[in-house]
Structures are given as C-alpha cells and as structure tokens.
Short mmCIF file of all heavy atoms in Angstrom, two decimals:
data_model
loop_
_atom_site.label_atom_id
_atom_site.label_comp_id
_atom_site.label_asym_id
_atom_site.label_seq_id
_atom_site.Cartn_x
_atom_site.Cartn_y
_atom_site.Cartn_z
N SER A 75 -82.78 -33.79 -65.41
CA SER A 75 -82.79 -34.18 -64.01
C SER A 75 -83.02 -32.94 -63.16
O SER A 75 -83.18 -31.83 -63.68
CB SER A 75 -81.46 -34.86 -63.63
OG SER A 75 -80.37 -33.97 -63.85
N THR A 76 -83.05 -33.14 -61.85
CA THR A 76 -83.31 -32.02 -60.95
C THR A 76 -82.31 -32.00 -59.81
O THR A 76 -81.83 -33.03 -59.36
CB THR A 76 -84.73 -32.09 -60.35
OG1 THR A 76 -84.92 -33.39 -59.78
CG2 THR A 76 -85.78 -31.82 -61.39
N ALA A 77 -82.02 -30.79 -59.35
CA ALA A 77 -81.37 -30.60 -58.07
C ALA A 77 -82.47 -30.44 -57.03
O ALA A 77 -83.63 -30.23 -57.36
CB ALA A 77 -80.49 -29.36 -58.12
N GLY A 78 -82.09 -30.53 -55.77
CA GLY A 78 -83.08 -30.43 -54.71
C GLY A 78 -83.65 -31.79 -54.32
O GLY A 78 -83.33 -32.81 -54.92
N GLY A 79 -84.49 -31.78 -53.30
CA GLY A 79 -85.08 -33.01 -52.81
C GLY A 79 -84.76 -33.23 -51.35
O GLY A 79 -84.53 -32.27 -50.60
N VAL A 80 -84.71 -34.49 -50.94
CA VAL A 80 -84.47 -34.83 -49.53
C VAL A 80 -83.06 -34.43 -49.13
O VAL A 80 -82.07 -34.87 -49.73
CB VAL A 80 -84.68 -36.34 -49.30
CG1 VAL A 80 -84.35 -36.72 -47.86
CG2 VAL A 80 -86.11 -36.75 -49.65
N SER A 81 -82.95 -33.59 -48.13
CA SER A 81 -81.65 -33.05 -47.72
C SER A 81 -80.81 -34.10 -47.01
O SER A 81 -81.33 -35.05 -46.42
CB SER A 81 -81.86 -31.86 -46.77
OG SER A 81 -82.60 -30.83 -47.41
N GLN A 82 -79.50 -33.89 -47.05
CA GLN A 82 -78.59 -34.83 -46.40
C GLN A 82 -78.89 -34.92 -44.91
O GLN A 82 -78.79 -36.01 -44.32
CB GLN A 82 -77.14 -34.41 -46.63
CG GLN A 82 -76.12 -35.36 -46.00
CD GLN A 82 -74.68 -34.96 -46.27
OE1 GLN A 82 -74.42 -34.00 -47.00
NE2 GLN A 82 -73.74 -35.68 -45.69
N ASN A 83 -79.27 -33.80 -44.30
CA ASN A 83 -79.52 -33.84 -42.86
C ASN A 83 -80.86 -34.47 -42.50
O ASN A 83 -81.22 -34.56 -41.32
CB ASN A 83 -79.43 -32.43 -42.25
CG ASN A 83 -80.47 -31.47 -42.81
OD1 ASN A 83 -81.33 -31.85 -43.60
ND2 ASN A 83 -80.38 -30.20 -42.42
N ALA A 84 -81.60 -34.95 -43.51
CA ALA A 84 -82.88 -35.64 -43.26
C ALA A 84 -82.70 -37.14 -43.10
O ALA A 84 -83.62 -37.83 -42.67
CB ALA A 84 -83.86 -35.37 -44.40
N VAL A 85 -81.51 -37.64 -43.47
CA VAL A 85 -81.29 -39.08 -43.47
C VAL A 85 -80.02 -39.43 -42.70
O VAL A 85 -79.15 -38.58 -42.49
CB VAL A 85 -81.18 -39.64 -44.91
CG1 VAL A 85 -82.49 -39.47 -45.66
CG2 VAL A 85 -80.03 -38.97 -45.67
N ASP A 86 -79.93 -40.70 -42.27
CA ASP A 86 -78.71 -41.15 -41.61
C ASP A 86 -77.73 -41.68 -42.65
O ASP A 86 -77.95 -41.54 -43.86
CB ASP A 86 -79.03 -42.19 -40.53
CG ASP A 86 -79.59 -43.50 -41.09
OD1 ASP A 86 -79.57 -43.70 -42.34
OD2 ASP A 86 -80.03 -44.34 -40.29
N ASN A 87 -76.67 -42.31 -42.22
CA ASN A 87 -75.66 -42.79 -43.15
C ASN A 87 -76.15 -43.90 -44.06
O ASN A 87 -75.51 -44.20 -45.08
CB ASN A 87 -74.42 -43.26 -42.37
CG ASN A 87 -73.66 -42.11 -41.73
OD1 ASN A 87 -73.76 -40.96 -42.17
ND2 ASN A 87 -72.91 -42.41 -40.67
N GLY A 88 -77.26 -44.53 -43.71
CA GLY A 88 -77.85 -45.57 -44.55
C GLY A 88 -78.98 -45.07 -45.41
O GLY A 88 -79.72 -45.87 -46.01
N LEU A 89 -79.16 -43.73 -45.47
CA LEU A 89 -80.23 -43.08 -46.24
C LEU A 89 -81.61 -43.34 -45.66
O LEU A 89 -82.62 -43.27 -46.37
CB LEU A 89 -80.18 -43.48 -47.72
CG LEU A 89 -78.89 -43.10 -48.46
CD1 LEU A 89 -78.95 -43.55 -49.93
CD2 LEU A 89 -78.62 -41.60 -48.39
N MET A 90 -81.67 -43.63 -44.36
CA MET A 90 -82.96 -43.77 -43.68
C MET A 90 -83.41 -42.43 -43.12
O MET A 90 -82.61 -41.69 -42.53
CB MET A 90 -82.87 -44.80 -42.54
CG MET A 90 -84.19 -45.06 -41.84
SD MET A 90 -84.09 -46.38 -40.61
CE MET A 90 -83.13 -45.55 -39.31
N LEU A 91 -84.69 -42.11 -43.32
CA LEU A 91 -85.24 -40.87 -42.79
C LEU A 91 -85.15 -40.90 -41.26
O LEU A 91 -85.66 -41.83 -40.63
CB LEU A 91 -86.68 -40.68 -43.22
CG LEU A 91 -86.93 -40.40 -44.70
CD1 LEU A 91 -88.42 -40.41 -45.01
CD2 LEU A 91 -86.31 -39.06 -45.12
N THR A 92 -84.54 -39.89 -40.68
CA THR A 92 -84.39 -39.89 -39.23
C THR A 92 -85.72 -39.68 -38.53
O THR A 92 -85.89 -40.12 -37.38
CB THR A 92 -83.40 -38.79 -38.79
OG1 THR A 92 -83.81 -37.53 -39.34
CG2 THR A 92 -81.99 -39.12 -39.29
N CYS A 93 -86.67 -39.05 -39.21
CA CYS A 93 -87.98 -38.82 -38.58
C CYS A 93 -88.95 -39.98 -38.82
O CYS A 93 -90.04 -39.99 -38.25
CB CYS A 93 -88.59 -37.51 -39.07
SG CYS A 93 -89.07 -37.52 -40.82
N ARG A 94 -88.55 -40.96 -39.68
CA ARG A 94 -89.40 -42.13 -39.91
C ARG A 94 -88.51 -43.37 -39.99
O ARG A 94 -88.16 -43.81 -41.09
CB ARG A 94 -90.23 -41.98 -41.19
CG ARG A 94 -91.35 -40.96 -41.11
CD ARG A 94 -92.42 -41.24 -42.15
NE ARG A 94 -93.17 -42.43 -41.85
CZ ARG A 94 -94.33 -42.44 -41.18
NH1 ARG A 94 -94.82 -41.31 -40.71
NH2 ARG A 94 -94.98 -43.56 -40.97
N PRO A 95 -88.13 -43.93 -38.86
CA PRO A 95 -87.29 -45.13 -38.88
C PRO A 95 -87.94 -46.24 -39.72
O PRO A 95 -89.15 -46.46 -39.64
CB PRO A 95 -87.22 -45.53 -37.40
CG PRO A 95 -87.41 -44.25 -36.66
CD PRO A 95 -88.40 -43.47 -37.48
N GLY A 96 -87.10 -46.89 -40.53
CA GLY A 96 -87.60 -47.94 -41.41
C GLY A 96 -87.96 -47.47 -42.80
O GLY A 96 -88.29 -48.28 -43.66
N THR A 97 -87.87 -46.15 -43.04
CA THR A 97 -88.15 -45.59 -44.37
C THR A 97 -86.87 -44.99 -44.94
O THR A 97 -86.25 -44.13 -44.32
CB THR A 97 -89.25 -44.51 -44.31
OG1 THR A 97 -90.46 -45.09 -43.84
CG2 THR A 97 -89.50 -43.93 -45.69
N PHE A 98 -86.49 -45.45 -46.12
CA PHE A 98 -85.24 -45.06 -46.76
C PHE A 98 -85.54 -44.31 -48.06
O PHE A 98 -86.61 -44.48 -48.66
CB PHE A 98 -84.38 -46.30 -47.06
CG PHE A 98 -84.02 -47.09 -45.83
CD1 PHE A 98 -84.93 -47.92 -45.20
CD2 PHE A 98 -82.74 -47.00 -45.30
CE1 PHE A 98 -84.60 -48.65 -44.06
CE2 PHE A 98 -82.38 -47.71 -44.16
CZ PHE A 98 -83.31 -48.54 -43.54
N CYS A 99 -84.60 -43.51 -48.52
CA CYS A 99 -84.76 -42.76 -49.77
C CYS A 99 -83.55 -43.02 -50.67
O CYS A 99 -82.45 -43.25 -50.19
CB CYS A 99 -84.88 -41.26 -49.50
SG CYS A 99 -86.34 -40.80 -48.55
N ALA A 100 -83.79 -42.95 -51.99
CA ALA A 100 -82.70 -43.23 -52.93
C ALA A 100 -82.94 -42.50 -54.24
O ALA A 100 -84.05 -42.04 -54.54
CB ALA A 100 -82.59 -44.74 -53.18
N GLY A 101 -81.88 -42.42 -55.03
CA GLY A 101 -81.98 -41.87 -56.39
C GLY A 101 -82.15 -40.36 -56.41
O GLY A 101 -81.64 -39.64 -55.54
N GLU A 102 -82.89 -39.89 -57.39
CA GLU A 102 -83.05 -38.45 -57.58
C GLU A 102 -83.95 -37.80 -56.55
O GLU A 102 -84.12 -36.58 -56.56
CB GLU A 102 -83.57 -38.16 -59.00
CG GLU A 102 -82.52 -38.25 -60.07
CD GLU A 102 -83.01 -37.67 -61.38
OE1 GLU A 102 -83.21 -36.44 -61.44
OE2 GLU A 102 -83.22 -38.44 -62.33
N MET A 103 -84.56 -38.58 -55.67
CA MET A 103 -85.29 -37.97 -54.55
C MET A 103 -84.34 -37.23 -53.62
O MET A 103 -84.75 -36.31 -52.92
CB MET A 103 -86.04 -39.04 -53.76
CG MET A 103 -87.31 -39.54 -54.41
SD MET A 103 -88.23 -40.66 -53.31
CE MET A 103 -88.75 -39.53 -52.01
N LEU A 104 -83.09 -37.65 -53.60
CA LEU A 104 -82.10 -37.03 -52.73
C LEU A 104 -81.55 -35.74 -53.35
O LEU A 104 -81.54 -35.59 -54.57
CB LEU A 104 -80.95 -38.01 -52.48
CG LEU A 104 -81.33 -39.35 -51.85
CD1 LEU A 104 -80.15 -40.30 -51.88
CD2 LEU A 104 -81.84 -39.17 -50.43
N ASP A 105 -81.08 -34.85 -52.51
CA ASP A 105 -80.59 -33.54 -52.97
C ASP A 105 -79.15 -33.63 -53.45
O ASP A 105 -78.21 -33.34 -52.72
CB ASP A 105 -80.71 -32.52 -51.84
CG ASP A 105 -80.23 -31.14 -52.26
OD1 ASP A 105 -80.20 -30.86 -53.49
OD2 ASP A 105 -79.86 -30.33 -51.38
N TRP A 106 -78.98 -34.06 -54.70
CA TRP A 106 -77.68 -34.06 -55.37
C TRP A 106 -77.95 -33.87 -56.86
O TRP A 106 -79.08 -34.04 -57.33
CB TRP A 106 -76.92 -35.37 -55.14
CG TRP A 106 -77.64 -36.60 -55.61
CD1 TRP A 106 -78.55 -37.34 -54.91
CD2 TRP A 106 -77.54 -37.21 -56.91
NE1 TRP A 106 -79.03 -38.37 -55.70
CE2 TRP A 106 -78.42 -38.33 -56.92
CE3 TRP A 106 -76.81 -36.93 -58.06
CZ2 TRP A 106 -78.58 -39.16 -58.03
CZ3 TRP A 106 -76.97 -37.76 -59.17
CH2 TRP A 106 -77.84 -38.87 -59.14
N GLU A 107 -76.94 -33.56 -57.59
CA GLU A 107 -77.06 -33.47 -59.04
C GLU A 107 -75.73 -33.83 -59.67
O GLU A 107 -74.68 -33.77 -59.03
CB GLU A 107 -77.50 -32.08 -59.49
CG GLU A 107 -76.52 -30.97 -59.13
CD GLU A 107 -77.02 -29.60 -59.60
OE1 GLU A 107 -77.32 -29.45 -60.80
OE2 GLU A 107 -77.11 -28.68 -58.74
N ALA A 108 -75.78 -34.22 -60.92
CA ALA A 108 -74.58 -34.59 -61.66
C ALA A 108 -74.86 -34.42 -63.14
O ALA A 108 -76.01 -34.48 -63.57
CB ALA A 108 -74.20 -36.05 -61.37
N PRO A 109 -73.81 -34.19 -63.93
CA PRO A 109 -74.03 -34.09 -65.38
C PRO A 109 -74.37 -35.43 -65.99
O PRO A 109 -74.14 -36.49 -65.40
CB PRO A 109 -72.68 -33.57 -65.89
CG PRO A 109 -71.69 -34.02 -64.86
CD PRO A 109 -72.41 -33.99 -63.56
N THR A 110 -74.93 -35.38 -67.19
CA THR A 110 -75.11 -36.59 -67.95
C THR A 110 -73.73 -37.12 -68.37
O THR A 110 -72.72 -36.49 -68.13
CB THR A 110 -75.96 -36.32 -69.20
OG1 THR A 110 -75.33 -35.29 -69.98
CG2 THR A 110 -77.36 -35.85 -68.83
N GLY A 111 -73.71 -38.27 -68.98
CA GLY A 111 -72.44 -38.85 -69.37
C GLY A 111 -72.09 -40.07 -68.54
O GLY A 111 -70.93 -40.48 -68.49
N GLY A 112 -73.10 -40.62 -67.85
CA GLY A 112 -72.91 -41.79 -67.03
C GLY A 112 -72.89 -41.52 -65.54
O GLY A 112 -73.09 -42.42 -64.73
N TYR A 113 -72.66 -40.26 -65.16
CA TYR A 113 -72.60 -39.92 -63.74
C TYR A 113 -73.97 -40.03 -63.07
O TYR A 113 -74.11 -40.57 -61.97
CB TYR A 113 -72.05 -38.50 -63.56
CG TYR A 113 -70.71 -38.30 -64.22
CD1 TYR A 113 -70.59 -37.58 -65.41
CD2 TYR A 113 -69.56 -38.85 -63.67
CE1 TYR A 113 -69.37 -37.40 -66.02
CE2 TYR A 113 -68.32 -38.69 -64.28
CZ TYR A 113 -68.24 -37.96 -65.46
OH TYR A 113 -67.01 -37.80 -66.07
N LEU A 114 -74.97 -39.50 -63.74
CA LEU A 114 -76.32 -39.47 -63.19
C LEU A 114 -76.85 -40.88 -62.94
O LEU A 114 -77.33 -41.21 -61.85
CB LEU A 114 -77.23 -38.71 -64.16
CG LEU A 114 -78.61 -38.29 -63.68
CD1 LEU A 114 -78.50 -37.30 -62.53
CD2 LEU A 114 -79.38 -37.65 -64.84
N LEU A 115 -76.75 -41.75 -63.93
CA LEU A 115 -77.28 -43.10 -63.80
C LEU A 115 -76.48 -43.91 -62.78
O LEU A 115 -77.05 -44.65 -61.97
CB LEU A 115 -77.27 -43.80 -65.15
CG LEU A 115 -77.82 -45.24 -65.18
CD1 LEU A 115 -79.22 -45.32 -64.56
CD2 LEU A 115 -77.84 -45.78 -66.60
N THR A 116 -75.16 -43.78 -62.78
CA THR A 116 -74.34 -44.51 -61.82
C THR A 116 -74.74 -44.16 -60.39
O THR A 116 -74.87 -45.04 -59.53
CB THR A 116 -72.85 -44.22 -62.03
OG1 THR A 116 -72.46 -44.70 -63.32
CG2 THR A 116 -72.00 -44.91 -60.97
#
C-alpha cells in the first residue's frame, strides 16, 4: 500500500473535495496508512 495522496485539508467531513463540490474521494487515494492484518481493508 502507499502513504500520501489527497490531504485531509482537501476534503470536508464527508470526504468531498472542497475545490470541486460534488466530487468525493475514498480508499487509498486519501492520505492515510495502516498495517496489513485487516486494518487496511477495513
């Protein structure tokens, strides 16, 4: 997996891009990471 991607300050609380209303982001596109073992997929 990867760290990096769409920053938290790029989206609102619903994961919608603040610069493009109506466009949302999810999954590994977002800037977070987690170990394997069920955390990543959850």
Side-chain angles (χ1 to χ4, degrees):
S75 60
T76 51
V80 177
S81 300
Q82 181 178 356
N83 62 5
V85 296
D86 67 9
N87 290 337
L89 299 180
M90 183 174 72
L91 291 173
T92 54
C93 68
R94 289 202 71 94
T97 298
F98 300 77
C99 296
E102 282 193 68
M103 283 187 68
L104 302 170
D105 180 22
W106 59 273
E107 62 181 305
T110 57
Y113 305 105
L114 193 63
L115 181 53
T116 297

